[in-house]
């Protein structure tokens, strides 16, 4: 049997590979628009990993590829980690999230139906909650009123997966990610700030007034939680879990200061005036982890520890490339 | 100024026209896949109504049509009532709801952005709630796990509208419809049962065991609630309301008996054995109307009254065509 990872050359998926490759044949599908083969280099000699460059929003081709994979090795699990990761670009141009974040889900589900693959694991997002105005976002919160097209198309994907679980999937497990940090970073506030500061070592411009506060989970904890829930045994056939650290998060100003201290000590930080960095940004977000913690899982790192580790890791990553 | 009604030749939209045509120029867009020009006949001589046969899931053409309308008469409101209404067909073929229920929303929103139209009224659905296992479905309920692609694509549309309200809409008002009955009926349990019984006047086959219980709102009450909320003045820029009758609903067996009594008294009713009529059906659904009732609106008819009136109306309608 085999595991298919959609968007498998991207940041989070690459961190799943070590686990999956221990016992499984793994097929990585990725259009390399944001992922990179560089991230797969360490597995170049591993016969259990097969990379296929593929556009997942193409319905016919996706059905074809899944059929070919299933003929080689029956598909036991599909992990859908492909999405647009540039939320702001998706606000300007809704067709980006329509195609990359949502139509990918549609095409993957139809391809799974064709070959009879029945277990689907999905990278959803806290962005589906929109602006909860400080109220804790729990899995039982509603209404779900996302404020970005990214959040809207993650919510749309959840809906399709839920319906598919009624009709042909055995498992539709949806993980609502917080902000996730670590390497190989491709985007995100730490990545952006480090890049900016490398270009101009004396000053750092920060979007927003620095008071925006968010939870950050290290990718190692995220991967741990996803696999823990997959194997937990007491999830529903369709189920949804918030995943995150157990704290109130970290302010953007703290991240900016950590980046400055690591990359260019003494650089001046220039903040904006708004409590939102951009349309679709939420100034303060509180994430309920009660459902996840009730399963017995715990994160190893706090938001602050995750940010500090990721600043180190991304500084090294950006020095290498 | 003008009002654009998308899917305007369909069942519910036609019932809005009397109200809209009193004070407004109205443009009806419809691809006539389920709607019919017959329903617009009574307005044939009304200079304020303009019908345009149009496929709303075509992005470029929708932008073009909205531009042309806006040049004639600045678009003040857009009502999106277009959707696939055959839920079962959408379960079999997800591309139907993808195109008719969801991509229409995407295309309309982009067309509105182009011309600067800022008020959007949307026919959402109780189907977004999925199977709440008897718990009352309120606007603050979560998670939203639809069990049909129809429900999934209504949820997806809500997400897009919500995001658009953050970015360029002034009003994104989402009405979550219950089962709605009345004329001109194009589908639904009453319509199906009457048609079946006209074909075979001695026996009536009913999907499911007849115990499925649902709320039914008469379309006159639905139209009343939508216009009431539009004019209420205290909705949020993005807001969502359950609309329905204030009762526990009616069993399918009651509907079947009402149909038999009206259309072919004495006919034998044959029930199935499942408490679900089809994949995507929910046996018992409880709908919270607290938010709606707090605005002061009340329905005129109960579920049972609505069903009885609609059985009369649809019997007449099906005798005419």
């Amino acid at each position: 049997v085999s595991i298919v990872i959609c968007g498998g050359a991207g940041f989070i998926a690459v961190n799943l590979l070590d686990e999956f490759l221990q016992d499984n044949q793994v097929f990585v599908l990725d259009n390399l628009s944001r992922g990179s083969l560089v991230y797969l280099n360490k597995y170049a000699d591993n016969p259990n990993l097969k990379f296929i460059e593929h556009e997942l929003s193409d319905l016919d081709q996706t059905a074809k590829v899944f059929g070919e994979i299933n003929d080689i090795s029956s598909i036991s699990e599909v992990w859908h980690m492909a999405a647009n990761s540039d939320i702001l670009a998706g606000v300007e141009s809704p067709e980006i999230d329509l195609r990359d974040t949502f139509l990918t889900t549609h095409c993957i589900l139809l391809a799974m139906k064709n070959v009879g693959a029945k277990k689907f694991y999905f990278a959803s997002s806290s962005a589906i909650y929109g602006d909860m105005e400080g109220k804790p976002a729990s899995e039982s919160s509603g209404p779900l009123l996302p404020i970005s097209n990214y959040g809207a198309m993650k919510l749309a994907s959840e809906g399709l997966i839920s319906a598919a679980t009624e009709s042909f999937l055995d498992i539709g497990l949806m993980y609502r990610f917080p902000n996730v940090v670590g390497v190989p970073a491709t985007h995100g506030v730490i990545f952006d700030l480090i890049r900016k500061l490398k270009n101009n070592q004396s000053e750092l411009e920060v979007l927003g007034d620095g008071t925006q506060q968010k939870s950050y989970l290290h990718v190692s904890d995220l991967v741990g939680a996803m696999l823990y829930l997959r194997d937990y045994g007491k999830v529903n056939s369709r189920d949804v879990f918030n995943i995150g650290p157990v704290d109130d998060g970290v302010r953007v100003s703290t991240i900016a200061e950590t980046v400055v201290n690591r990359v260019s000590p003494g650089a001046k930080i220039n903040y904006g005036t708004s409590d939102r960095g951009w349309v679709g940004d939420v100034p303060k977000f509180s994430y309920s982890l009660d459902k996840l913690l009730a399963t017995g899982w715990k994160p190893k790192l706090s938001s602050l520890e995750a940010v500090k580790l990721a600043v180190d890791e991304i500084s090294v990553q950006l020095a290498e490339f």
Side-chain angles (χ1 to χ4, degrees), chain A:
Chain A
V1 300
S2 63
I3 295 177
V4 175
I5 313 184
C6 301
F11 161 41
I12 291 166
V14 166
N15 284 277
L16 280 163
L17 284 176
D18 276 331
E19 294 291 336
F20 286 162
L21 284 168
Q22 289 176 20
D23 302 307
N24 304 279
Q25 185 148 19
V26 178
F27 292 84
V28 165
L29 305 183
D30 204 299
N31 66 3
L32 299 180
S33 67
R34 288 174 198 86
S36 169
L37 285 181
V38 172
Y39 308 149
L40 302 177
N41 270 349
K42 63 187 274 204
Y43 306 108
D45 297 328
N46 191 319
N48 286 333
L49 179 67
K50 172 115 169 73
F51 171 78
I52 301 170
E53 185 169 347
H54 175 71
E55 174 53 55
L56 288 157
S57 65
D58 182 319
L59 186 64
D60 294 338
Q61 287 301 313
T62 300
K64 184 161 172 281
V65 162
F66 272 65
E68 289 165 358
I69 293 171
N70 201 60
D71 287 344
I72 297 168
S73 175
S74 176
I75 298 173
S76 62
E77 298 178 11
V78 177
W79 290 67
H80 179 15
M81 322 294 285
N84 167 46
S85 53
D86 184 342
I87 296 182
L88 188 52
V91 171
E92 293 299 315
S93 306
E95 64 273 17
I96 295 174
D97 279 304
L98 174 71
R99 182 191 64 216
D100 295 354
T101 308
F102 173 66
L103 288 179
T104 51
T105 310
H106 171 72
C107 296
I108 292 166
L109 284 169
L110 283 181
M112 289 178 71
K113 189 179 183 185
N114 281 344
V115 298
K118 292 187 179 302
K119 294 180 181 175
F120 191 96
Y121 301 87
F122 180 60
S124 188
S125 167
S126 62
I128 63 147
Y129 290 110
D131 186 350
M132 301 286 289
E133 295 172 345
K135 287 195 294 283
S138 90
E139 295 85 347
S140 60
S141 299
L144 300 173
L145 298 174
I147 60 176
S148 63
N149 288 313
Y150 174 79
M153 295 298 89
K154 286 292 189 187
L155 180 61
S157 295
E158 284 196 3
L160 270 192
I161 294 160
S162 176
T165 306
E166 186 73 9
S167 136
F168 65 90
L169 288 181
D170 287 342
I171 295 283
L173 188 49
M174 298 169 262
Y175 305 111
R176 291 178 178 166
F177 293 4
N179 291 285
V180 182
V181 294
V183 285
T186 58
H187 65 285
V189 59
I190 297 174
F191 183 80
D192 290 343
L193 290 178
I194 293 177
R195 273 211 305 203
K196 275 191 200 175
L197 195 56
K198 283 179 178 281
N199 286 334
N200 178 351
Q201 301 191 8
S202 58
E203 287 190 60
L204 180 61
E205 300 285 336
V206 177
L207 292 176
D209 64 5
T211 65
Q212 311 103 291
Q213 182 164 327
K214 288 184 187 156
S215 300
Y216 294 90
L217 189 69
H218 194 268
V219 66
S220 56
D221 270 334
L222 179 72
V223 164
M226 289 195 287
L227 297 173
Y228 181 88
L229 289 171
R230 178 193 64 173
D231 300 330
Y232 176 56
K234 288 188 239 168
V235 300
N236 295 316
S237 58
R238 65 164 70 69
D239 218 335
V240 52
F241 285 88
N242 289 349
I243 301 182
V246 191
D247 54 58
D248 287 344
V250 176
R251 286 186 167 209
V252 168
S253 56
T254 303
I255 299 175
E257 289 157 15
T258 307
V259 166
V260 163
N261 289 340
R262 174 68 171 77
V263 178
S264 182
K268 182 167 181 295
I269 302 174
N270 297 322
Y271 292 103
T273 54
S274 165
D275 66 354
R276 299 188 178 211
W278 30 269
V279 175
D281 198 14
V282 174
K284 187 168 189 313
F285 190 77
S286 165
Y287 211 39
S288 166
L289 275 298
D290 292 351
K291 187 176 175 185
L292 176 60
L293 297 177
T295 69
W297 181 83
K298 278 204 220 65
K300 295 198 174 79
L301 302 178
S302 69
S303 285
L304 184 59
E305 289 166 336
V307 163
K308 286 183 172 173
L309 176 56
V311 168
D312 273 340
E313 291 172 332
I314 298 172
S315 297
V316 172
Q317 177 195 342
L318 287 176
E320 280 171 356
F321 287 94

